[in-house]
Amino acid sequence: MLRLHIARPLMLIQLATALLALPLVMLALHAAVLTLALGSLAFGIALAVVNILVQTTLQQTIPSDYLSRVSSVVGLVVMGLAPVGFAVCGPAASLLGTEAALGLSAGAVLPEHGCDACLPRHQELSHSPGRGR
């Protein structure tokens, strides 16, 4: 069985999450279809990496007694905020224009994740191979 041990999971989560803005940038810049398809492929891979690392990090750092509650809160926040984003994106595109709304969305995601990845807390949480709860 293949096992890959990530030394700094929060850092990789932040960097992978920054890739989620790639299709937004490409749509805003009217990229060619093949380029957009490659950007969407990178989006899918980054999303899989984020999901795997978040779930693994939660399971390795949260005590078993609290894991179900923490997972429920994380799921509620992630899925609960999606309708808010959907409700805001239509009026934003009407008000600003589609390209500007896409660019603004990407512009909000990229700097936040780039700056957040540099914070000391991402270097503090590390997993050593074979470490259990």
Side-chain angles (χ1 to χ4, degrees), residues 6 19-20 25 29 34 40 46 57 68-70 73 95 105 110 112-113 124 127 130:
I6 306 297
L19 285 176
L20 299 179
V25 172
L29 297 176
L34 182 59
S40 296
T57 302
S68 62
R69 284 174 259 189
V70 170
V73 170
L95 182 67
S105 298
L110 292 174
E112 186 272 328
H113 288 291
E124 293 169 4
H127 298 304

Side-chain angles (χ1 to χ4, degrees), residues 29-42:
L29 297 176
H30 298 285
V33 174
L34 182 59
T35 308
L36 185 57
L38 291 174
S40 296
L41 176 65

